[in-house]
Amino acid sequence: MMSGAVPARAIVLAAGLGTRMRPITDTMPKPLVKVGGHPMIDRALDALQAAGVETVVVNVHHFADRMIDHLAGRGDFVTISDERDRLLDSAGGVVKALPQLGEKPFLLLNADSFWIDGADPELRRLALAWDEGAMDILLMLSPLDTAIGHNGKADFTQDAAGRLSRAVDRTQGLVYAGAAMLHPRIFDGAAAEPHGLNLYFDRAIAAGRLYGLPMRGHWFTVGTPEAIGEAEAELSRLGR
C-alpha cells in the first residue's frame, strides 16, 4: 500500500561518542558541532519539522545534559530517549525508543549528516516512495560521486524495482545517506541491548524488502574535524 503521508514521528540518533571528531568531542557532543554556523542536529530537526513531522525522539548519551539543554528550545516537538546509563548503538537505541515512536512507520535520521534539498524535499520524496506492502525499510541514498565528506566506498547497489543489495564492488553504487523510513515490525522481539541497524538491513535484503531512493539534493557527512571545512566550502559554493 502506497501511503505518501509523511510519518508523524521520527527519531534522530544523537547518542554516539563521536570518537572520529576528537578533539572537538572531548568537550562537546558531536550533534552540537556547528557546520556553516548551525549545529548539525538543528539541520536534522529543521528538515523534519519542515516535512510535517509532529514529534521527534532524540536519544542522548555523550554530554547528555548539554544535549537536553539545547533541545529544550524545541519545546514539545522533541522528546528525549535517555541512554546515559548505557550506549545502545543505532538499533538498540531505536528499540529503547519504540514506545515513543508508536506502531506506524517512522523516519530515522543520523545527527552527523545532512543535506540540501533539490527541487522537492527529500523527506517528502521518501514518504511518497514508501510502499508498506513491499517494504520494511526504505533508505535515502546518495550517488557515490556527489557524497560530500564520504570515504569513497559504496554501500548498496539497486535493481530496476528499487530493491537493494550490498555493494560487492564498492567503487560503484550508492551510499546510505543517514535517513530512512522504517516499519517498527522489524524490531518485533528485539531487546534494548547494544546492536546496530545493519542487522536489520541484511534481514530486509534477504526478504527482498530493503528498498532505496536516490536523492536529488546534496548530501553531507561530517565525521572528522577536517570534514567541517570541506562541508563549509561546498555550502558556500552552493550559496547556502
Side-chain angles (χ1 to χ4, degrees), residues 62 65-66 89 112 122 148 152 178 207 209 219 231-232 238:
H62 190 50
D65 290 342
R66 288 187 62 178
D89 203 346
D112 62 352
E122 299 293 350
I148 300 150
R209 297 182 63 84
W219 179 64
E232 290 182 334
L238 293 169

PDB file of all heavy atoms in Angstrom, residues 62 65-66 89 112 122 148 152 178 207 209 219 231-232 238:
ATOM      1  N   HIS A  62      26.338  10.971  25.244  1.00  0.00           N
ATOM      2  CA  HIS A  62      27.569  11.749  25.386  1.00  0.00           C
ATOM      3  C   HIS A  62      27.213  13.216  25.638  1.00  0.00           C
ATOM      4  O   HIS A  62      26.515  13.837  24.844  1.00  0.00           O
ATOM      5  CB  HIS A  62      28.386  11.597  24.100  1.00  0.00           C
ATOM      6  CG  HIS A  62      29.767  12.139  24.161  1.00  0.00           C
ATOM      7  ND1 HIS A  62      30.644  11.835  25.176  1.00  0.00           N
ATOM      8  CD2 HIS A  62      30.436  12.979  23.314  1.00  0.00           C
ATOM      9  CE1 HIS A  62      31.802  12.440  24.948  1.00  0.00           C
ATOM     10  NE2 HIS A  62      31.691  13.148  23.833  1.00  0.00           N
ATOM     11  N   ASP A  65      23.510  16.156  29.231  1.00  0.00           N
ATOM     12  CA  ASP A  65      22.900  17.349  29.812  1.00  0.00           C
ATOM     13  C   ASP A  65      22.948  18.526  28.839  1.00  0.00           C
ATOM     14  O   ASP A  65      21.987  19.299  28.737  1.00  0.00           O
ATOM     15  CB  ASP A  65      23.593  17.723  31.121  1.00  0.00           C
ATOM     16  CG  ASP A  65      23.308  16.728  32.241  1.00  0.00           C
ATOM     17  OD1 ASP A  65      22.328  15.967  32.113  1.00  0.00           O
ATOM     18  OD2 ASP A  65      24.052  16.718  33.237  1.00  0.00           O
ATOM     19  N   ARG A  66      24.069  18.657  28.122  1.00  0.00           N
ATOM     20  CA  ARG A  66      24.175  19.739  27.145  1.00  0.00           C
ATOM     21  C   ARG A  66      23.207  19.532  25.997  1.00  0.00           C
ATOM     22  O   ARG A  66      22.609  20.481  25.475  1.00  0.00           O
ATOM     23  CB  ARG A  66      25.604  19.852  26.618  1.00  0.00           C
ATOM     24  CG  ARG A  66      26.575  20.418  27.648  1.00  0.00           C
ATOM     25  CD  ARG A  66      27.931  20.682  27.067  1.00  0.00           C
ATOM     26  NE  ARG A  66      27.906  21.686  25.996  1.00  0.00           N
ATOM     27  CZ  ARG A  66      29.002  22.106  25.360  1.00  0.00           C
ATOM     28  NH1 ARG A  66      30.188  21.602  25.676  1.00  0.00           N
ATOM     29  NH2 ARG A  66      28.905  23.009  24.415  1.00  0.00           N
ATOM     30  N   ASP A  89      23.987   1.689  20.782  1.00  0.00           N
ATOM     31  CA  ASP A  89      24.242   1.601  19.341  1.00  0.00           C
ATOM     32  C   ASP A  89      22.954   1.971  18.592  1.00  0.00           C
ATOM     33  O   ASP A  89      21.924   2.282  19.188  1.00  0.00           O
ATOM     34  CB  ASP A  89      24.767   0.223  18.962  1.00  0.00           C
ATOM     35  CG  ASP A  89      25.573   0.204  17.649  1.00  0.00           C
ATOM     36  OD1 ASP A  89      25.510   1.192  16.898  1.00  0.00           O
ATOM     37  OD2 ASP A  89      26.276  -0.790  17.405  1.00  0.00           O
ATOM     38  N   ASP A 112      24.767  13.221  12.355  1.00  0.00           N
ATOM     39  CA  ASP A 112      26.050  13.707  11.835  1.00  0.00           C
ATOM     40  C   ASP A 112      26.077  13.798  10.315  1.00  0.00           C
ATOM     41  O   ASP A 112      27.132  13.856   9.707  1.00  0.00           O
ATOM     42  CB  ASP A 112      27.202  12.829  12.324  1.00  0.00           C
ATOM     43  CG  ASP A 112      27.098  11.388  11.857  1.00  0.00           C
ATOM     44  OD1 ASP A 112      26.050  11.021  11.284  1.00  0.00           O
ATOM     45  OD2 ASP A 112      28.055  10.632  12.056  1.00  0.00           O
ATOM     46  N   GLU A 122      13.550  16.093   0.236  1.00  0.00           N
ATOM     47  CA  GLU A 122      13.903  14.664   0.205  1.00  0.00           C
ATOM     48  C   GLU A 122      13.031  13.828   1.133  1.00  0.00           C
ATOM     49  O   GLU A 122      12.679  12.688   0.801  1.00  0.00           O
ATOM     50  CB  GLU A 122      15.380  14.481   0.562  1.00  0.00           C
ATOM     51  CG  GLU A 122      16.350  15.165  -0.393  1.00  0.00           C
ATOM     52  CD  GLU A 122      16.359  14.555  -1.789  1.00  0.00           C
ATOM     53  OE1 GLU A 122      15.767  13.493  -1.993  1.00  0.00           O
ATOM     54  OE2 GLU A 122      16.983  15.176  -2.680  1.00  0.00           O
ATOM     55  N   ILE A 148      29.428  14.282  -0.156  1.00  0.00           N
ATOM     56  CA  ILE A 148      30.427  15.218   0.345  1.00  0.00           C
ATOM     57  C   ILE A 148      30.882  14.780   1.740  1.00  0.00           C
ATOM     58  O   ILE A 148      30.076  14.652   2.657  1.00  0.00           O
ATOM     59  CB  ILE A 148      29.851  16.640   0.379  1.00  0.00           C
ATOM     60  CG1 ILE A 148      29.435  17.059  -1.039  1.00  0.00           C
ATOM     61  CG2 ILE A 148      30.859  17.633   0.963  1.00  0.00           C
ATOM     62  CD1 ILE A 148      28.290  18.010  -1.087  1.00  0.00           C
ATOM     63  N   GLY A 152      34.347   7.397   0.216  1.00  0.00           N
ATOM     64  CA  GLY A 152      34.553   6.959  -1.157  1.00  0.00           C
ATOM     65  C   GLY A 152      34.102   5.554  -1.467  1.00  0.00           C
ATOM     66  O   GLY A 152      34.277   5.081  -2.579  1.00  0.00           O
ATOM     67  N   GLY A 178      22.065   8.339   5.654  1.00  0.00           N
ATOM     68  CA  GLY A 178      21.747   8.644   7.049  1.00  0.00           C
ATOM     69  C   GLY A 178      20.313   9.042   7.308  1.00  0.00           C
ATOM     70  O   GLY A 178      20.003   9.663   8.335  1.00  0.00           O
ATOM     71  N   ALA A 207      14.921 -10.810   2.706  1.00  0.00           N
ATOM     72  CA  ALA A 207      13.486 -10.944   2.455  1.00  0.00           C
ATOM     73  C   ALA A 207      13.037 -10.179   1.215  1.00  0.00           C
ATOM     74  O   ALA A 207      11.846 -10.216   0.859  1.00  0.00           O
ATOM     75  CB  ALA A 207      12.708 -10.445   3.673  1.00  0.00           C
ATOM     76  N   ARG A 209      13.005  -6.921   0.977  1.00  0.00           N
ATOM     77  CA  ARG A 209      12.175  -5.827   1.457  1.00  0.00           C
ATOM     78  C   ARG A 209      12.992  -4.593   1.884  1.00  0.00           C
ATOM     79  O   ARG A 209      12.483  -3.729   2.589  1.00  0.00           O
ATOM     80  CB  ARG A 209      11.289  -6.312   2.610  1.00  0.00           C
ATOM     81  CG  ARG A 209      10.303  -7.404   2.164  1.00  0.00           C
ATOM     82  CD  ARG A 209       9.390  -7.846   3.294  1.00  0.00           C
ATOM     83  NE  ARG A 209       8.542  -6.782   3.778  1.00  0.00           N
ATOM     84  CZ  ARG A 209       7.383  -6.419   3.244  1.00  0.00           C
ATOM     85  NH1 ARG A 209       6.918  -7.046   2.153  1.00  0.00           N
ATOM     86  NH2 ARG A 209       6.659  -5.447   3.764  1.00  0.00           N
ATOM     87  N   TRP A 219      24.225  15.773  -0.413  1.00  0.00           N
ATOM     88  CA  TRP A 219      24.365  15.121   0.892  1.00  0.00           C
ATOM     89  C   TRP A 219      25.751  15.359   1.471  1.00  0.00           C
ATOM     90  O   TRP A 219      26.760  15.263   0.772  1.00  0.00           O
ATOM     91  CB  TRP A 219      24.107  13.623   0.758  1.00  0.00           C
ATOM     92  CG  TRP A 219      24.259  12.880   2.047  1.00  0.00           C
ATOM     93  CD1 TRP A 219      23.497  13.022   3.169  1.00  0.00           C
ATOM     94  CD2 TRP A 219      25.224  11.866   2.344  1.00  0.00           C
ATOM     95  NE1 TRP A 219      23.931  12.159   4.144  1.00  0.00           N
ATOM     96  CE2 TRP A 219      24.989  11.445   3.666  1.00  0.00           C
ATOM     97  CE3 TRP A 219      26.257  11.279   1.603  1.00  0.00           C
ATOM     98  CZ2 TRP A 219      25.755  10.445   4.282  1.00  0.00           C
ATOM     99  CZ3 TRP A 219      27.018  10.297   2.214  1.00  0.00           C
ATOM    100  CH2 TRP A 219      26.768   9.887   3.537  1.00  0.00           C
ATOM    101  N   ALA A 231      32.827  20.570   4.144  1.00  0.00           N
ATOM    102  CA  ALA A 231      31.390  20.798   4.059  1.00  0.00           C
ATOM    103  C   ALA A 231      31.076  22.292   3.940  1.00  0.00           C
ATOM    104  O   ALA A 231      30.223  22.696   3.139  1.00  0.00           O
ATOM    105  CB  ALA A 231      30.695  20.213   5.284  1.00  0.00           C
ATOM    106  N   GLU A 232      31.783  23.111   4.707  1.00  0.00           N
ATOM    107  CA  GLU A 232      31.505  24.557   4.658  1.00  0.00           C
ATOM    108  C   GLU A 232      31.883  25.153   3.314  1.00  0.00           C
ATOM    109  O   GLU A 232      31.211  26.058   2.808  1.00  0.00           O
ATOM    110  CB  GLU A 232      32.232  25.252   5.806  1.00  0.00           C
ATOM    111  CG  GLU A 232      31.613  24.909   7.157  1.00  0.00           C
ATOM    112  CD  GLU A 232      32.253  25.597   8.338  1.00  0.00           C
ATOM    113  OE1 GLU A 232      33.448  25.946   8.243  1.00  0.00           O
ATOM    114  OE2 GLU A 232      31.555  25.766   9.371  1.00  0.00           O
ATOM    115  N   LEU A 238      27.485  26.412  -2.935  1.00  0.00           N
ATOM    116  CA  LEU A 238      26.065  26.283  -3.253  1.00  0.00           C
ATOM    117  C   LEU A 238      25.245  27.511  -2.837  1.00  0.00           C
ATOM    118  O   LEU A 238      24.042  27.567  -3.065  1.00  0.00           O
ATOM    119  CB  LEU A 238      25.484  25.042  -2.555  1.00  0.00           C
ATOM    120  CG  LEU A 238      26.007  23.691  -3.036  1.00  0.00           C
ATOM    121  CD1 LEU A 238      25.571  22.576  -2.086  1.00  0.00           C
ATOM    122  CD2 LEU A 238      25.540  23.392  -4.460  1.00  0.00           C
TER     123      LEU A 238
END
